[in-house]
Amino acid sequence: LSVDNQSTASPESPLPLRFGGPGERVPRRILVLGATSGIAQACCRLWADRGDGLFLVARNSDRLNAVAADARTRGASYVGTAVADLEDTAAHPELLAHSINSLGGLDVALFAHGVLGDQSEAEHSFAAAGAILHNNLYSVVSLLTWLANYCAQRHSGTLAVLSSVAGDRGRKSNYVYGASKAGLTAFVDGLRNRIDREGVRVMTIKPGPVKTAMTQGMKGSGKFADVDAVAATIVKAIDGKKGRNGMISGPDVVYVPAIWRVIMGVIQIIPDRMFKKMNL
Amino acid sequence: MHWQGDFPRAIDGVHHGALAVGMGRSYGDVCLLNQGTLLQTTSMDRLLDFDPATGLLTAEAGVTLAQILDFAVPRGYFLPVSPGTKYVTLGGAIANDIHGKNHHVAGTFGCHVTQFELVRSDGTRLHCSPMENPDFFASTIGGMGLTGVLTWAQLRLKPIVSRLIDYQGIQFHGIDEFLDLTRQAQHIEYTVSWVDVNSTGKNFCRGIFMQGDHSQLPAPLERSAKPKLALPFEFPGFALNGFTVSAFNALFFNKQMKKRVSALQDYEPFFYPLDKVLHWNRMYGKRGLLQFQYAIPWEYAREGTVAILQEVAKSGLASFLAVLKAFGDVPSPGLMSFPTPGITLALDFPIKPEKSFALFDRLAEMTREFGGRLYPAKDARMTAPQFRSFYPQWERFARYKDPALTSSFWERVVGNPVGDPYGDVFAATGGVR
């Protein structure tokens, strides 16, 4: 774990104390894990545009610096960064503590790291299949366990986890990736069931195929969803609405684009005796 | 490509050359590479730094001018040079050293680029500015993407206080009225003319001279709304014919009933009238359109323009949105830059191989005879001898070309045709490493 303390917009003070005048928007303190992923980058732009504070975590420092520079230039009120390989679960507690201290608290955490993996390789190699599960599931379970308890103690915060429509039903074209996301979806469902009553929002975000670096070169990628539109939906869902009691509420499970809720609904009800013969 | 570090790794194992492309809006084949590998740069679109005091913006090369405007306008800044569409990338604007309606006062886009990074296929990263690696700086501006891959560039934006343009449209009849209006408008920032190229006789070379300055009255600087209109399908090939285009041209001329109109107009319709309709090019059907743009130096500018307009009118081929403008004498830092002091005319024609290609070839020869040149960014027909006479500096330029990069345009006008006297130029230089 290497933490870059120099890259803050205002090094002496993290986000200011949270006073907002009447009608003035208080910047949110947002932790982004896997900040160089296509969807995370697009979300960061929207948050930076409106002056939120960001702490960005990613593995590759050159790429992370470019994303951080973009957020700073666009007007993020604070940008902190840490280079970390999130597969290293032992480093999570220190990383999270540092991130939250830098932001001066936490309003939102976006979990956007993950790998698509190589399905055909994973069919023949447990090492390859295990790596996909480790990256997409184990590491998120570790991070969520720490953050869920942090948020539950404070009765605040939104944990937004990027799962995938691929987790709704295993298909031969990507069932290892699908299994990692199915596990993640189940974990997040249960976590929501446990800590929603503590005042912590836990969101499952299920994107369909999106035009990003992850899907470049895939068959039909020209017709995949536009990443900026997907990010706008995600950011809006995370914002939610302020209820009469002052609590923020919003959707628990978000399919983006929304049509995927219908598509996966259909795919889920196909009987196995037919499904097993299909090429999906 | 998604990251600044992706080149040259992105061309490992590539045969038949490679070419970085942005939005692919160049009309000709400078943005194409038959059989080769295209490196799409549009996800390299991060803003890296902005100084609100000086207007210096540093951004990755795949950012579009539309994205720059969305960022800059609410902060009181504007592009120093605006082309006819905002859907082009920063890298493409530099590589083609594009120009706009303010060429006579501001020069080309390259005049406002302060520095950039150029990555060569051997992995060398060159920091280029007028002081550092000045040869690569000059050859990359207008270098058609052939000198290396641009990762980021710094651009000097200009301050504005309003989105509005103080606009005037003035009818003219004939080339001399156009030249008078050009002289009178020397100190107006933006000038451009639409000209009716289908009419002959007393209506020959009639048009509307459009001029404008940024409004000096402070007004809200909001971000533009996203375009809502889009042409959903291609028009059939017969939709644009001599009759419909003449009718359009007559309507366009007569829409402005008065000799002179003045208005305050938003910058979007003033600079980017076609961007309002996404996929407007579908109007030209499946075969599409070809552009033709020349610049002829002042010495023969009047004579050449009249002769070429007569040739176009005589051909009876439909062209609308013909654009006439006087280039100024602000020099470009680019070695291969197109604009030269004189007159430029841009025409577009639906592609009809048997007729339009013959006309294009005649117009290209006429341009050469009048000492002019064609614009590579809008060309698909220029021959190798024509290119070499339009751009005699091409051999010097070829020394800075990256050996791994090429384009269909370059293959066409330079290439290595058998028995070509210039054929061994690459063997001689071997590229610069």
Side-chain angles (χ1 to χ4, degrees):
Chain A
L1 169 72
S2 84
V3 169
D4 177 7
N5 284 317
Q6 303 306 310
S7 62
T8 53
S10 48
E12 68 287 353
S13 76
L15 277 196
L17 287 174
R18 310 190 31 150
F19 295 119
E24 194 182 313
R25 200 179 164 279
V26 181
R28 294 223 181 167
R29 300 160 295 186
I30 303 172
L31 168 63
V32 184
L33 298 149
T36 56
S37 88
I39 292 178
Q41 281 190 70
C43 291
C44 287
R45 273 188 193 179
L46 297 171
W47 285 323
D49 272 343
R50 61 190 202 190
D52 286 330
L54 301 170
F55 195 91
L56 310 175
V57 181
R59 198 168 30 186
N60 180 309
S61 66
D62 286 346
R63 294 177 179 188
L64 180 59
N65 286 340
V67 176
D70 188 62
R72 247 175 236 127
T73 306
R74 285 173 194 276
S77 53
Y78 170 85
V79 181
T81 61
V83 176
D85 186 344
L86 293 174
E87 284 191 45
D88 179 8
T89 49
H92 286 178
E94 193 195 333
L95 172 71
L96 293 174
H98 174 72
S99 310
I100 293 170
N101 287 340
S102 301
L103 284 170
L106 183 74
D107 297 309
V108 176
L110 178 70
F111 295 76
H113 65 288
V115 293
L116 191 57
D118 181 339
Q119 168 67 22
S120 57
E121 193 193 347
E123 285 169 12
H124 302 288
S125 151
F126 171 67
I132 296 173
L133 290 171
H134 197 86
N135 214 312
N136 292 352
L137 180 58
Y138 279 35
S139 71
V140 191
V141 167
S142 162
L143 292 162
L144 272 174
T145 302
W146 289 102
L147 276 182
N149 292 325
Y150 171 86
C151 291
Q153 275 172 18
R154 283 158 188 77
H155 306 292
S156 76
T158 298
L159 305 175
V161 183
L162 282 184
S163 186
S164 167
V165 295
D168 282 6
R169 190 165 193 183
R171 290 165 297 124
K172 74 173 193 179
S173 57
N174 65 356
Y175 64 82
V176 179
Y177 175 78
S180 70
K181 293 299 192 181
L184 188 57
T185 299
F187 186 88
V188 174
D189 278 347
L191 185 65
R192 174 163 53 245
N193 194 209
R194 186 192 124 207
I195 61 172
D196 183 78
R197 63 198 67 186
E198 306 289 341
V200 184
R201 283 179 72 210
V202 182
M203 300 172 62
T204 318
I205 293 159
K206 297 184 180 178
V210 181
K211 243 183 270 178
T212 62
M214 188 197 244
T215 58
Q216 195 181 30
M218 274 171 66
K219 210 174 119 195
S221 57
K223 290 188 177 148
F224 289 0
D226 174 57
V227 69
D228 293 323
V230 165
T233 307
I234 293 173
V235 165
K236 196 170 160 214
I238 290 175
D239 282 347
K241 282 193 196 113
K242 211 168 199 173
R244 275 196 208 128
N245 56 1
M247 297 290 287
I248 293 171
S249 66
D252 299 314
V253 179
V254 184
Y255 284 81
V256 271
I259 184 70
W260 281 93
R261 187 183 287 272
V262 180
I263 296 172
M264 294 320 293
V266 172
I267 287 180
Q268 278 173 319
I269 58 170
I270 301 173
D272 277 309
R273 75 190 132 76
M274 286 162 68
F275 194 78
K276 68 186 179 191
K277 299 206 171 85
M278 295 168 74
N279 289 309
L280 286 167
Chain B
M1 293 193 295
H2 300 275
W3 306 96
Q4 292 175 45
D6 286 355
F7 188 82
R9 214 162 14 94
I11 57 165
D12 283 350
V14 155
H15 304 288
H16 308 299
L19 178 68
V21 293
M23 296 291 279
R25 296 294 171 103
S26 295
Y27 289 102
D29 52 1
V30 290
C31 61
L32 299 174
L33 179 54
N34 196 16
Q35 297 193 328
T37 302
L38 294 179
L39 308 167
Q40 177 111 41
T41 62
T42 44
S43 357
M44 270 169 49
D45 64 347
R46 298 168 196 93
L47 305 180
L48 302 176
D49 189 44
F50 178 65
D51 180 351
T54 58
L56 283 169
L57 174 72
T58 311
E60 290 181 340
V63 71
T64 64
L65 301 191
Q67 289 172 309
I68 291 180
L69 286 166
D70 279 349
F71 173 81
V73 168
R75 290 168 170 82
Y77 278 98
F78 200 74
L79 291 169
V81 165
S82 284
T85 170
K86 57 181 180 170
Y87 297 123
V88 298
T89 62
L90 176 59
I94 295 170
N96 292 295
D97 197 19
I98 60 172
H99 55 269
K101 298 173 173 58
N102 59 353
H103 184 272
H104 59 289
V105 290
T108 62
F109 196 86
C111 297
H112 308 273
V113 173
T114 48
Q115 49 177 320
F116 53 75
E117 184 185 65
L118 184 73
V119 184
R120 306 274 293 175
S121 60
D122 62 4
T124 315
R125 305 183 90 85
L126 297 171
H127 183 243
C128 303
S129 72
M131 317 299 283
E132 229 177 316
N133 294 305
D135 291 352
F136 277 104
F137 186 76
S139 53
T140 300
I141 293 174
M144 299 169 283
L146 299 171
T147 56
V149 169
L150 277 171
T151 50
W152 59 262
Q154 188 183 54
L155 180 67
R156 190 184 296 281
L157 301 174
K158 69 173 203 194
I160 53 167
V161 296
S162 162
R163 290 177 59 95
L164 297 175
I165 301 289
D166 218 331
Y167 162 86
Q168 283 196 313
I170 308 158
Q171 287 182 352
F172 65 86
H173 285 85
I175 186 88
D176 292 316
E177 279 189 35
F178 163 78
L179 290 171
D180 282 346
L181 287 168
T182 298
R183 265 189 293 277
Q184 290 161 22
Q186 265 178 40
H187 302 294
I188 292 175
E189 168 125 30
Y190 301 107
T191 68
V192 70
S193 297
W194 164 84
V195 56
D196 175 0
V197 293
N198 297 102
S199 298
T200 49
K202 72 174 171 54
N203 284 337
F204 178 69
C205 195
R206 67 173 175 179
I208 295 174
F209 190 91
M210 296 174 260
Q211 59 187 41
D213 278 309
H214 287 284
S215 167
Q216 296 304 313
L217 294 171
L221 290 161
E222 280 146 11
R223 187 185 272 210
S224 299
K226 291 246 176 334
K228 291 197 179 80
L229 290 171
L231 275 191
F233 55 84
E234 281 150 350
F235 280 19
F238 57 80
L240 287 190
N241 54 40
F243 177 76
T244 54
V245 171
S246 296
F248 172 88
N249 281 338
L251 266 176
F252 196 98
F253 185 80
N254 290 311
K255 185 180 77 168
Q256 177 175 331
M257 301 293 284
K258 286 183 246 159
K259 173 81 183 154
R260 183 185 280 262
V261 295
S262 300
L264 275 175
Q265 189 180 30
D266 189 75
Y267 77 77
E268 287 276 346
F270 182 76
F271 287 107
Y272 320 115
L274 284 171
D275 285 348
K276 216 163 37 171
V277 185
L278 291 173
H279 310 303
W280 60 268
N281 52 306
R282 290 177 178 167
M283 189 170 65
Y284 283 90
K286 266 200 176 121
R287 281 199 162 154
L289 77 154
L290 265 188
Q291 272 254 348
F292 177 86
Q293 183 170 0
Y294 70 69
I296 297 182
W298 281 120
E299 192 179 3
Y300 297 109
R302 187 188 178 284
E303 199 182 337
T305 300
V306 169
I308 285 175
L309 282 172
Q310 278 169 346
E311 187 70 26
V312 174
K314 203 171 75 187
S315 77
L317 277 177
S319 173
F320 66 115
L321 300 169
V323 171
L324 192 61
K325 167 156 181 68
F327 278 146
D329 50 13
V330 182
S332 164
L335 178 60
M336 296 289 282
S337 188
F338 160 69
T340 185
I343 291 184
T344 185
L345 173 70
L347 303 164
D348 52 26
F349 299 93
I351 294 181
K352 290 179 180 147
E354 58 297 349
K355 281 168 95 185
S356 46
F357 289 170
L359 173 67
F360 269 66
D361 298 345
R362 277 203 304 285
L363 297 183
E365 253 336 271
M366 290 173 75
T367 301
R368 199 178 61 77
E369 281 159 20
F370 287 111
R373 52 171 76 156
L374 298 185
Y375 188 11
K378 295 193 178 179
D379 177 80
R381 296 285 300 166
M382 198 189 300
T383 63
Q386 281 168 349
F387 174 73
R388 287 159 195 189
S389 98
F390 294 152
Y391 297 94
Q393 69 276 37
W394 76 274
E395 281 179 290
R396 224 181 104 212
F397 169 74
R399 279 187 254 147
Y400 300 98
K401 185 187 160 291
D402 189 303
L405 303 178
T406 186
S407 63
S408 287
F409 175 83
W410 187 255
E411 295 296 313
R412 177 158 59 85
V413 300
V414 174
N416 264 334
V418 181
D420 186 304
Y422 300 106
D424 57 356
V425 66
F426 297 111
T429 61
V432 174
R433 299 236 164 200

